[in-house]
Amino acid sequence: MAKEYGTASPSRMLENVAADLSGAGLSNQTRQTLNQHHIWAMFLDPDGRCIWETNLPKDIPSQYTMLDVAVFSKGYLKDYPVFIRNVENGLLVLGYPKDSFMKLPGNYLPLRAVNLFPVFVTGLLFGDGLLLFGIYSISKWKISKNTEPILTSIEMLTTGKPVDLNIPGELSEIAECVNRASRVLSRQNQARVNWISGVSHDIRTPLSMIMGYSDRILETPGLDRKVCQEAGIIRSQSAKIKDLVQDLNLVSQLEYDMQPLHKRSIRLSKLLRSFAADLLNQGIDENYSIEIEIDSKAELVEIEGDSRLILRAVGNLVNNSIHHNPQGCRIVLALHASKEAVCIVVADNGTGLSPQKQKDLEKPHYMESTDERLDLRHGLGLLLVKQIVAVHEATMKIESEPEKGCKTTLSFKRK
């Protein structure tokens, strides 16, 4: 492109040649310039005769009529793009190599430029595509940067945790909507906890009276056997209601992070032995036996946790074994340790769980779901164990086969 529109451009060459033109023709320097660029030249007098020429091709005539001049002055002469200039006493004609220029009405273009035009358009489109892709990538990055905390906050809302977003710009309204939703949910959750706590408190007094009166009836000498049995049933069912109320209150507090944790170093071997001793001292039906199996590797292992909650989880699992095996069973409390974790195992040799019961345990508990159509059968005891495990960042695994018993493993990280 520089060649065609530089010193060898038609307009400049016509000007230079016209300035150098004399009666004898052209200077050697101008002829060399024309030769260098493969340009031929001729000078026609008013009658159309060629007075002199330079590099004139053999197929170019030396005599022209006015009509011939009118025709080639606007375009080509024998396929050579030609350019003319009126000078004193004649017409200067310059001819360029074939396929070097494409002449248009009133203008001309280098043929090389015409051939490169598709490449130029393709490059322009490619450049525009890269620019658009860059703009898209930057916009996507900005949107992702601003939407990530919103998505994280929405995920936190599903767990019932409060959020407080502060995002400027176009997404500020969405952030404020999330904040309002969080405040509404927090008030609802607080009201739910307060209601459960209030109901639990209101139940305690009449429940204590019922248990007290049933104890007095059971201690009455000479009491009819049937009445004594009925008083015993009242006493045992009242104790179950008391445990249920406590579980309900604790589940609600753990669910909304309202139960303070008192974590400290705990030696689980000591904790399990203490639990088994208390259970035996309180008295257990003779149909049930409690055994402890502690690996030597786990004897001195410690974890960071709340001993009160861990004891509650183990107690709920033992109570499940007793509740689901009224005919009696053997209950084993085991402790195993590996390099990364220490595991509490509560196992029994009772009836175990049916396949349908195991599927039910995989469903969300009614305390965790808003779908009232769910047919959920498991009680609060197992849910409470799951929540205690969750606040300790531990895991729980239940294994069971019909008529072969049930085994629950709680895995805690070692210190």
Side-chain angles (χ1 to χ4, degrees):
M1 298 292 289
K3 176 181 178 182
E4 288 84 355
Y5 291 103
T7 58
S9 66
S11 59
R12 184 168 296 183
M13 288 300 298
L14 284 171
E15 183 179 353
N16 293 340
V17 173
D20 188 62
L21 187 63
S22 64
L26 299 175
S27 65
N28 291 332
Q29 183 178 358
T30 301
R31 290 177 182 274
Q32 290 177 0
T33 301
L34 293 174
N35 290 335
Q36 180 181 354
H37 296 287
H38 308 289
I39 302 172
W40 54 265
M42 64 179 178
F43 182 78
L44 303 180
D45 65 9
D47 295 328
R49 293 190 301 271
C50 180
I51 303 303
W52 58 260
E53 54 81 18
T54 299
N55 302 328
L56 191 67
K58 294 180 180 180
D59 56 344
I60 298 299
S62 60
Q63 180 70 39
Y64 300 89
T65 65
M66 292 183 62
L67 181 59
D68 295 333
V69 174
V71 171
F72 74 68
S73 64
K74 297 296 183 181
Y76 302 86
L77 178 58
K78 299 294 184 180
D79 294 332
Y80 292 94
V82 295
F83 303 88
I84 63 173
R85 185 184 182 100
N86 288 322
V87 296
E88 186 178 358
N89 299 325
L91 184 69
L92 176 62
V93 181
L94 296 182
Y96 279 73
K98 295 178 181 180
D99 298 331
S100 60
F101 285 93
M102 181 176 70
K103 298 193 68 177
L104 302 174
N107 206 341
Y108 57 87
L109 288 175
L111 195 61
R112 180 183 174 193
V114 176
N115 293 332
L116 290 177
F117 183 74
V119 179
F120 171 75
V121 172
T122 303
L124 183 63
L125 292 175
F126 181 73
D128 289 343
L130 286 178
L131 180 62
L132 290 175
F133 179 75
I135 295 174
Y136 165 76
S137 299
I138 294 174
S139 300
K140 183 179 179 181
W141 175 77
K142 288 184 177 179
I143 293 174
S144 299
K145 181 180 179 182
N146 290 329
T147 56
E148 184 176 353
I150 294 178
L151 295 176
T152 302
S153 298
I154 293 175
E155 182 67 24
M156 290 177 63
L157 285 180
T158 62
T159 64
K161 296 180 180 179
V163 298
D164 184 16
L165 281 173
N166 183 18
I167 299 178
E170 299 177 352
L171 299 178
S172 59
E173 294 184 4
I174 298 178
E176 182 56 32
C177 288
V178 174
N179 289 337
R180 286 199 297 269
S182 175
R183 290 192 290 270
V184 171
L185 290 175
S186 295
R187 288 196 297 269
Q188 292 177 344
N189 293 337
Q190 183 64 55
R192 179 181 177 184
V193 172
N194 291 340
W195 182 83
I196 292 175
S197 179
V199 170
S200 301
H201 181 271
D202 292 340
I203 290 177
R204 286 193 188 100
T205 300
L207 190 61
S208 297
M209 294 178 63
I210 293 172
M211 296 179 69
Y213 284 131
S214 62
D215 286 339
R216 289 176 59 182
I217 293 173
L218 289 172
E219 294 173 359
T220 302
L223 186 67
D224 182 77
R225 182 178 179 182
K226 184 177 180 181
V227 175
C228 186
Q229 289 177 345
E230 292 174 348
I233 293 174
I234 293 173
R235 179 68 176 82
S236 62
Q237 294 301 317
S238 297
K240 289 183 179 179
I241 294 175
K242 181 179 178 182
D243 292 339
L244 179 61
V245 170
Q246 292 176 346
D247 283 351
L248 180 62
N249 200 30
L250 186 55
V251 163
S252 179
Q253 292 176 346
L254 288 174
E255 185 175 0
Y256 301 111
D257 295 331
M258 297 178 181
Q259 171 66 33
L261 296 180
H262 303 286
K263 287 188 175 183
R264 59 182 180 82
S265 295
I266 304 172
R267 185 185 297 180
L268 291 180
S269 59
K270 182 179 179 181
L271 193 72
L272 283 185
R273 289 193 178 97
S274 174
F275 171 81
D278 291 341
L279 188 63
L280 293 174
N281 291 334
Q282 292 172 7
I284 188 171
D285 193 286
E286 60 182 9
N287 291 329
Y288 302 94
S289 64
I290 302 293
E291 300 179 12
I292 294 182
E293 297 178 358
I294 298 177
D295 289 349
S296 58
K297 294 181 180 180
E299 183 66 45
L300 301 178
V301 174
E302 295 184 349
I303 66 168
E304 284 288 334
D306 189 321
S307 59
R308 180 176 56 89
L309 291 179
I310 294 176
L311 282 174
R312 187 62 175 273
V314 174
N316 280 12
L317 293 175
V318 171
N319 288 335
N320 277 348
S321 295
I322 295 174
H323 175 72
H324 292 291
N325 298 285
Q327 77 287 351
C329 66
R330 171 175 170 262
I331 302 173
V332 177
L333 304 178
L335 189 66
H336 308 288
S338 64
K339 292 182 179 180
E340 295 80 18
V342 57
C343 302
I344 297 176
V345 179
V346 180
D348 64 63
N349 62 347
T351 58
L353 300 176
S354 66
Q356 182 59 45
K357 183 64 176 178
Q358 294 187 53
K359 289 183 180 180
D360 290 341
L361 292 178
E362 296 174 359
K363 297 178 182 178
H365 192 274
Y366 61 85
M367 289 284 288
E368 300 174 311
S369 175
T370 58
D371 190 349
E372 298 177 354
R373 298 170 298 175
L374 291 177
D375 183 19
L376 302 172
R377 299 297 182 185
H378 57 286
L380 287 172
L382 193 59
L383 173 62
L384 182 57
V385 176
K386 290 181 179 180
Q387 291 184 336
I388 292 174
V389 166
V391 297
H392 284 85
E393 298 180 354
T395 60
M396 180 175 74
K397 182 179 180 181
I398 300 176
E399 302 172 272
S400 179
E401 292 184 23
E403 306 304 327
K404 290 188 178 180
C406 182
K407 181 173 76 172
T408 304
T409 303
L410 309 181
S411 300
F412 299 87
K413 295 179 181 178
R414 297 180 56 157
K415 286 185 59 178

